[in-house]
């Protein structure tokens, strides 16, 4: 296997070519794994809402052709000579970040996502050599060992893929803002891929969980299959009023424009509203809501390397995986349309291995 | 020598029986000798809980109920124009302290309230403003433990609260789950629902729990603004652990609050950046407040150069402004804390929060325990507010100047010097 080192890797994937976001087969090469790199066959890749934003150039920074995907799991194929944590045949995962400066305070504190010089993201980003990164909608991936995760044996590979973004996106603020201490009242706004992970983590940590959603139809599933304790329809003024001041923390996963005041009202004094979605418009809030009861609005972006590994281990311990709908690569454009309508329980995961083998 | 006229029967017949005990004469402070007559039994409750009340120095008129006549300045309508006003303070209950007001600071809140600027807290007139109140104790109720006549005392924004909720128990009365009672323009639902009147007046009655001790080392007049301006910035500094490990601290706005924030930050060993719209304030910020850096917020070049340099910002500005302008100044995990309350909603983009896990918080004054801690801290570090002392008759003019920010840094009314002779305390 080491003989393969030094050769560029020919890869097959799916790419968007322009802002319509339509994805089609795409062949490209990846650099040969270096001495500290891991090369792996991609087995599964989750479809994150970010992928949809990026292929459609909704954040204005898209470079085409773009191979999306940053919830990637696979099996190690080859490792560089200095790689110590992985061997061929190991289960491996890659999330949002494939590199960072490793020197700044943020990197030193293992918060690589906040790297002062800017982290290199898994796709649509410029790596240290100046080339554009390609993501996991493909058959093969090369990554530095330092940015690869070990996927524990007890986690199903497909259900583990979305943990690498949807999972850590909520796990990180739960830990950072110390939400899990002492049976707190926890709320989550939006019950999509990220929201349902928040429910699972919060329940596993013993919190009292309230789901806040615009869709009354999600109540039954939220309570029965995810174990939420309470369900609030955000459009129901009476329900929202009754729940005023009852929550210690809220994670807001919604990326559509919405006012923060509605949710700030649900918080008790000293409560925190943490945004993990990225609404295109600025959030508006009444300052009195913050001042008069010392409430906080914060943000959080994915998680660092150590924290992500810790989250994976937590998932094994508590039998947590993402609820997924497994699809073939050629279904991806339909999946994107359904995702845009919120029509998925709760994450699409592309079966890359079988899709590319078949083609 | 004067003693209280005590009624043999209280209205509402709360007291079942009243009898009298003459306590021994006590010599205090030189030759002043007081003879005090106290009720022996007021009620079974008093018998169990009350110590002997101490008579004091109050000279004003007293109603039969024991209520005391008080003189002050009040606003009568939304013009905010203030004129002299006579009103009654309630009689001292066992837990109450009555004190002669010496000084009262003028807070920006007073200006908002007399003009009925805030929808959430509508004005009720006549309104006697003032919640930076200091004075000398003249009478204490029988259950009062820690104050005696002659003591230096202060009252801030909080004059009562439920005393039983989680927050009150932790002495965070400002976040009382039932209702905190403001020192003025409020109704005290825990007593009799009557309106509260603030410190632009000669006399105040306050439950001991909400009374603060002004340490000897602090000048009374310059200590007054600590009770609101001071605690408003001290509380978030402590709550958000800003003082740990030589952090970089920014303050937006250099008025009364901003001035205090810079003083505290200096005493706590932080590196200070003052952010202001007025380049004219730079020299004072650097020389008298020892600011390490001064950034003119309207200068994009200076703002850019200051990006990601601060761990904490306290935003004292009550005018409308965008958070996105200031958030970039914060480092990763940085926090900006609002203590001013702009009337219109603020905006911030999720991305400026996410990209460096920043957060926007708020903070409201401080609890009683924390306020006392702050006063003691000020005494240790010789911190007090820079003030301009004025007679009460100047108050309307002061308000006009305050609206133009024409004050360095706080007006303090010399109540004692402005008090009509019949309301002055006995010396």
């Amino acid at each position: 296997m080491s003989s393969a080192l030094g050769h560029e890797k020919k890869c097959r994937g799916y790419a968007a070519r322009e802002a319509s976001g339509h994805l089609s087969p795409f062949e490209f090469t990846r650099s040969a794994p270096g001495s500290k790199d891991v090369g792996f066959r991609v087995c599964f890749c989750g479809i994150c809402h970010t992928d949809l934003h990026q292929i459609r150039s909704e954040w204005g920074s898209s470079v085409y052709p773009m191979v999306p995907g940053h919830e990637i799991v696979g099996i190690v194929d080859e490792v560089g000579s200095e790689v110590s944590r992985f061997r061929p045949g190991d289960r491996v995962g890659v999330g949002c970040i494939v590199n960072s400066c490793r020197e700044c305070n943020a990197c030193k504190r293992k918060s690589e996502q906040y790297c002062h010089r800017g982290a290199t993201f898994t796709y649509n980003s410029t790596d240290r050599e100046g080339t554009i990164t390609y993501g996991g909608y493909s058959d093969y991936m090369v990554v530095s060992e330092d940015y690869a995760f070990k996927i524990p044996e007890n986690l199903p590979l497909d259900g583990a893929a979305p943990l690498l973004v949807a999972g850590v996106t909520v796990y990180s603020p739960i830990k950072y803002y110390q939400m899990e201490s002492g049976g707190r009242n926890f709320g989550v706004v939006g019950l999509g891929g990220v929201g349902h992970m928040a429910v699972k983590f919060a329940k596993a940590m013993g919190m009292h969980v309230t789901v806040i959603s615009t869709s009354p139809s999600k109540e039954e599933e939220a309570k029965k299959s995810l174990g939420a304790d309470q369900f609030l329809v955000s459009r129901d003024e009476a329900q929202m009023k009754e729940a005023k001041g009852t929550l210690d923390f809220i994670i807001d996963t919604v990326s559509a424009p919405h006012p923060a005041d509605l949710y700030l009202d649900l918080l008790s004094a000293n409560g925190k509203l943490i945004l993990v979605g990225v609404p295109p418009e600025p959030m508006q809030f009444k300052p009195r809501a913050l001042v008069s009861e010392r409430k906080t609005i914060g943000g959080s972006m994915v998680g660092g390397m150590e924290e992500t590994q810790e989250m994976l281990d937590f998932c094994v311990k508590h039998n947590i995986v993402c609820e997924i709908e497994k699809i073939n690569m050629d279904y991806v454009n339909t999946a994107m349309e359904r995702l845009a309508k919120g029509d998925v329980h709760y994450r699409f995961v592309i079966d890359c291995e079988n899709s590319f083998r078949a083609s | 020598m004067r003693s209280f006229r005590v009624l043999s029967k209280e209205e509402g017949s709360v007291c079942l029986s009243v009898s009298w005990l003459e306590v021994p004469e006590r010599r205090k402070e030189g030759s002043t000798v007081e003879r005090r007559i106290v009720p022996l039994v007021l009620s079974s409750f008093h018998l169990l809980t009350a110590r002997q009340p101490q008579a004091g120095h109050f000279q004003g008129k007293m109603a039969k109920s024991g209520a005391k006549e008080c003189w002050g300045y009040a606003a009568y309508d939304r013009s905010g124009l203030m004129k002299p006003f006579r009103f009654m303070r309630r009689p001292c209950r066992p837990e109450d302290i009555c004190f002669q007001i010496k000084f009262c600071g003028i807070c920006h809140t007073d200006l908002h309230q007399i003009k009925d600027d805030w929808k959430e807290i509508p004005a009720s007139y006549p309104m006697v403003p003032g919640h930076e109140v200091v004075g000398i104790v003249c009478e204490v109720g029988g259950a009062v433990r820690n104050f005696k006549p002659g003591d230096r005392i202060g009252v801030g924004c909080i004059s009562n609260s439920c005393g039983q909720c989680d927050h009150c128990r932790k002495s965070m009365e400002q976040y009382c789950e039932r209702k905190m009672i403001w020192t003025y323009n409020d109704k005290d639902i825990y007593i009799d629902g009557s309106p509260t009147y603030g410190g632009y007046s000669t006399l105040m009655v306050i439950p001991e729990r909400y009374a603060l001790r002004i340490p000897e080392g602090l000048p009374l007049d310059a200590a007054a603004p600590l009770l609101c301006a001071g605690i408003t910035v001290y509380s978030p500094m402590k709550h958000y652990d800003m003082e740990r490990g030589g952090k970089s601290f920014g303050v937006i706005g250099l008025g009364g609050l901003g001035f205090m924030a810079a003083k505290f930050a200096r005493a706590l060993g932080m590196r200070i950046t003052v952010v202001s719209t007025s380049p004219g304030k730079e020299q004072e910020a650097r020389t008298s407040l020892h600011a390490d850096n001064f950034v003119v917020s309207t200068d994009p070049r200076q703002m850019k150069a200051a990006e990601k340099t601060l761990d904490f910002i306290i935003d004292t500005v009550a005018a409308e402004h965008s958070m996105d302008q200031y958030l970039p100044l914060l480092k990763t995990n940085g926090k900006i804390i609002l203590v001013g309350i702009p009337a219109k909603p603020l905006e911030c983009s999720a991305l400026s929060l996410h990209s460096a896990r920043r957060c926007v918080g708020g903070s409201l004054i401080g609890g009683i325990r924390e306020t006392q801690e702050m006063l003691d801290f000020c005494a240790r570090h010789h911190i007090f507010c820079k003030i301009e002392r004025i007679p009460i008759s100047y108050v309307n003019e002061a308000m006009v100047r305050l609206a133009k920010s024409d004050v360095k840094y706080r007006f303090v009314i010399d109540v004692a010097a402005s008090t009509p002779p019949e309301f002055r305390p006995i010396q």
Side-chain angles (χ1 to χ4, degrees):
Chain A
M1 57 85 190
S2 60
S3 62
L5 291 172
H7 298 287
E8 281 193 334
K9 286 283 169 191
K10 283 197 172 157
C11 298
R12 286 178 298 167
Y14 261 55
R17 317 301 171 112
E18 28 71 32
S20 74
H22 182 79
L23 293 152
S24 55
F26 176 60
E27 295 198 350
F28 61 103
T29 54
R30 297 196 192 266
S31 331
S35 59
K36 292 179 176 171
D37 292 340
V38 173
F40 67 93
R41 287 182 283 114
V42 176
C43 296
F44 299 101
C45 184
I47 298 183
C48 175
H49 213 286
T50 299
D51 302 348
L52 185 57
H53 286 300
Q54 296 270 38
I55 58 172
R56 293 182 178 177
S57 194
E58 286 172 356
W59 294 341
S61 56
S62 296
V63 178
Y64 300 100
M66 180 196 298
V67 179
H70 54 204
E71 297 180 335
I72 313 163
V73 292
I75 302 293
V76 174
D77 176 48
E78 54 186 333
V79 297
S81 56
E82 292 174 49
V83 168
S84 59
R85 286 168 57 227
F86 292 93
R87 286 183 309 175
D90 281 357
R91 294 148 59 97
V92 62
V94 173
C96 278
I97 301 169
V98 289
N99 211 347
S100 65
C101 83
R102 303 165 195 241
E103 288 165 357
C104 69
N105 276 336
C107 285
K108 280 186 195 155
R109 280 181 282 170
K110 303 289 171 195
S111 298
E112 295 88 350
Q113 74 272 39
Y114 305 118
C115 172
H116 295 180
R117 289 187 208 151
T120 303
F121 295 106
T122 305
Y123 70 88
N124 194 41
S125 188
T126 310
D127 68 17
R128 296 295 185 258
E129 288 85 46
T131 52
I132 297 294
T133 55
Y134 291 129
Y137 294 14
S138 60
D139 63 348
Y140 200 87
M141 185 96 194
V142 177
V143 69
S144 158
E145 164 180 52
D146 297 339
Y147 298 86
F149 306 109
K150 291 186 91 74
I151 308 293
E153 285 303 323
N154 300 342
L155 284 179
L157 267 190
D158 50 3
L163 297 175
L164 299 169
V165 171
V168 77
T169 293
V170 290
Y171 183 86
S172 176
I174 286 175
K175 294 303 247 187
Y176 178 74
Y177 291 99
Q178 299 177 330
M179 299 186 190
E180 79 280 23
S181 54
R184 298 301 185 83
N185 290 307
F186 173 86
V188 55
V189 183
L191 196 62
V194 178
H196 96 291
M197 288 310 305
V199 177
K200 290 196 171 198
F201 283 126
K203 284 310 292 179
M205 291 169 181
M207 292 190 263
H208 184 272
V209 178
T210 299
V211 172
I212 304 135
S213 167
T214 50
S215 325
S217 60
K218 291 189 177 173
E219 175 160 4
E220 197 182 328
E221 179 148 0
K223 287 188 172 168
K224 280 199 182 144
S225 19
L226 297 171
D229 300 287
Q230 201 187 348
F231 189 91
L232 296 173
V233 179
S234 56
R235 293 195 181 114
D236 185 331
E237 279 180 35
Q239 273 190 25
M240 291 293 275
K241 202 172 166 190
E242 200 177 326
K244 212 175 154 182
T246 58
L247 303 176
D248 299 302
F249 297 98
I250 297 176
I251 289 188
D252 180 352
T253 71
V254 176
S255 281
H258 59 293
D261 288 327
L262 191 62
Y263 308 116
L264 285 173
D265 279 348
L266 297 179
L267 290 173
S268 57
N270 299 314
K272 294 182 171 68
L273 172 67
I274 306 304
L275 312 176
V276 296
V278 188
E281 317 257 310
M283 300 282 286
Q284 281 209 340
F285 60 94
K286 292 198 190 84
R288 189 174 293 276
L290 299 188
V291 174
S292 62
E293 295 187 89
R294 197 158 61 189
K295 294 172 182 174
T296 301
I297 300 180
S300 184
M301 184 170 73
V302 293
M305 295 301 119
E306 266 188 22
E307 198 171 38
T308 306
Q309 190 66 58
E310 175 192 310
M311 180 263 322
L312 289 168
D313 299 340
F314 180 91
C315 288
V316 174
K317 206 166 145 192
H318 296 274
N319 277 325
I320 292 174
V321 286
C322 189
E323 304 293 317
I324 62 165
E325 179 177 337
K326 205 147 66 175
I327 61 164
N328 241 302
M329 193 73 236
D330 56 14
Y331 186 76
V332 68
N333 289 305
T334 314
M336 288 292 178
E337 279 165 36
R338 285 181 50 198
L339 178 61
K341 292 184 288 191
D343 174 21
V344 55
H345 284 88
Y346 284 89
R347 205 70 155 179
F348 288 115
V349 170
I350 304 166
D351 185 342
C352 295
E353 193 172 30
N354 286 321
S355 302
F356 289 110
R357 186 190 295 156
S359 67
Chain B
M1 210 49 45
R2 192 175 291 268
S3 64
F4 279 107
R5 205 182 132 204
V6 186
L7 304 171
S8 58
K9 208 193 269 179
E10 277 190 14
E11 283 161 10
S13 300
V14 176
C15 310
L16 298 175
S17 64
V18 178
S19 57
W20 304 102
L21 171 73
E22 194 163 327
V23 297
E25 289 184 352
R26 197 173 76 172
R27 188 165 295 275
K28 49 173 296 201
E29 287 175 35
S31 62
T32 312
V33 174
E34 284 179 304
R35 177 181 296 266
R36 295 171 299 167
I37 294 176
V38 296
L40 178 63
V41 180
L42 282 173
S43 67
S44 55
F45 172 76
H46 290 153
L47 186 63
L48 291 170
T49 61
R51 292 187 307 152
Q52 296 157 355
Q54 298 178 13
H57 309 269
F58 176 68
Q59 175 162 336
K61 288 176 196 161
M62 261 196 300
K64 275 197 162 182
S65 63
K68 302 161 187 69
E69 193 178 24
C70 184
W71 176 90
Y73 259 56
Y76 288 80
D77 55 49
R78 299 184 66 180
S79 74
L81 187 74
M82 284 179 276
K83 288 180 284 196
F85 173 60
R86 282 169 184 250
F87 60 101
M88 302 302 285
R89 294 283 188 192
R90 69 166 181 270
C92 256
R93 301 167 304 153
E95 66 270 40
D96 283 339
I97 298 170
C98 176
F99 66 98
Q100 287 282 353
I101 295 171
K102 296 289 186 194
F103 300 101
C104 183
I106 296 184
C107 176
H108 214 282
T109 299
D110 302 350
L111 184 57
H112 284 299
Q113 299 256 43
I114 57 174
K115 290 182 178 286
D116 198 11
D117 279 348
W118 288 341
K119 246 189 300 175
E120 295 86 349
I121 311 177
S124 118
Y125 300 104
M127 183 195 301
V128 179
H131 55 207
E132 297 181 339
V133 195
V134 292
I136 303 293
V137 174
C138 58
E139 181 195 342
V140 298
V144 170
R145 308 266 157 197
N146 298 314
F147 285 87
K148 60 179 190 312
D151 283 356
R152 293 149 55 97
I153 186 174
V155 171
C157 292
I158 309 171
S159 70
N160 217 342
S161 68
C162 84
Q164 286 155 9
C165 69
D166 275 357
H167 288 109
C168 284
R169 282 191 196 157
K170 290 183 209 153
S171 197
M172 295 196 289
E173 297 86 352
Q174 75 273 36
Y175 306 118
C176 172
E177 281 154 35
R178 200 169 151 209
K179 185 184 178 346
M180 159 202 152
I181 308 299
W182 295 91
T183 301
Y184 70 87
N185 193 38
D186 206 347
K187 288 187 167 51
D188 196 332
I189 53 167
Y190 303 111
I191 301 180
D192 56 4
S194 60
T196 56
Y197 294 122
Y200 295 13
S201 63
T202 53
L203 199 72
M204 188 168 263
V205 179
I206 186 84
E208 181 181 21
R209 183 190 163 129
Y210 305 92
L212 298 149
R213 179 171 296 281
I214 309 294
E216 286 302 326
L218 287 177
L220 260 195
D221 52 359
L226 298 175
L227 297 166
C228 178
I231 188 62
T232 295
V233 292
Y234 182 86
S235 177
M237 281 176 162
K238 296 303 256 188
H239 179 73
Y240 293 98
D241 290 332
M242 296 189 193
E243 81 280 24
R244 274 201 304 205
K247 297 292 179 101
S248 289
F249 172 81
V251 57
I252 304 174
L254 197 59
L257 270 66
F259 175 89
M260 290 310 307
K263 285 259 191 184
F264 287 128
R266 170 112 180 125
L268 294 167
M270 289 188 265
R271 194 185 145 77
I272 304 166
T273 296
V274 172
V275 184
S276 167
T277 50
S278 324
K281 292 187 177 173
E282 175 159 5
Q283 200 192 349
E284 173 137 11
R286 287 190 187 269
T287 51
S288 45
L289 288 168
H290 308 282
D292 302 284
N293 195 12
F294 187 92
V295 177
V296 179
S297 57
T298 49
D299 181 340
R301 215 167 35 90
Q302 287 191 31
M303 289 293 277
K304 182 84 192 159
E307 269 184 16
K308 285 202 165 186
T309 59
L310 303 173
D311 295 296
F312 296 100
I313 298 175
I314 288 189
D315 179 356
T316 71
V317 177
E320 202 183 331
H321 57 292
S322 164
M323 285 290 98
D324 286 333
Q325 191 187 354
Y326 301 113
L327 282 167
L329 301 184
L330 290 172
K331 296 180 190 173
T332 303
N333 301 325
K335 296 181 171 67
I336 180 165
I337 307 302
L338 309 175
V339 294
I341 307 185
K344 293 203 176 150
L346 294 176
E347 277 192 355
C348 73
S349 65
L351 210 58
S352 46
L353 296 176
H354 285 175
S355 57
R357 195 160 55 191
R358 300 174 174 122
C359 66
V360 183
S363 184
L364 179 75
I365 51 172
I368 298 297
R369 193 189 300 150
E370 196 172 40
T371 307
Q372 188 63 58
E373 176 193 309
M374 181 257 333
L375 289 167
D376 298 339
F377 179 87
C378 288
R380 274 201 309 280
H381 294 271
H382 304 290
I383 292 174
F384 39 83
C385 196
K386 190 167 173 183
I387 62 164
E388 178 176 339
R389 210 153 102 174
I390 58 165
I392 204 165
S393 54
Y394 185 76
V395 72
N396 291 308
E397 215 172 323
M399 287 295 180
V400 173
R401 284 182 51 199
L402 179 60
K404 293 185 290 190
S405 302
D406 175 20
V407 54
K408 279 180 176 169
Y409 281 85
R410 206 72 158 179
F411 287 115
V412 169
I413 303 168
D414 188 341
V415 176
S418 315
T419 304
E422 67 267 33
F423 290 94
R424 284 190 193 150
I426 303 163
Q427 294 306 312

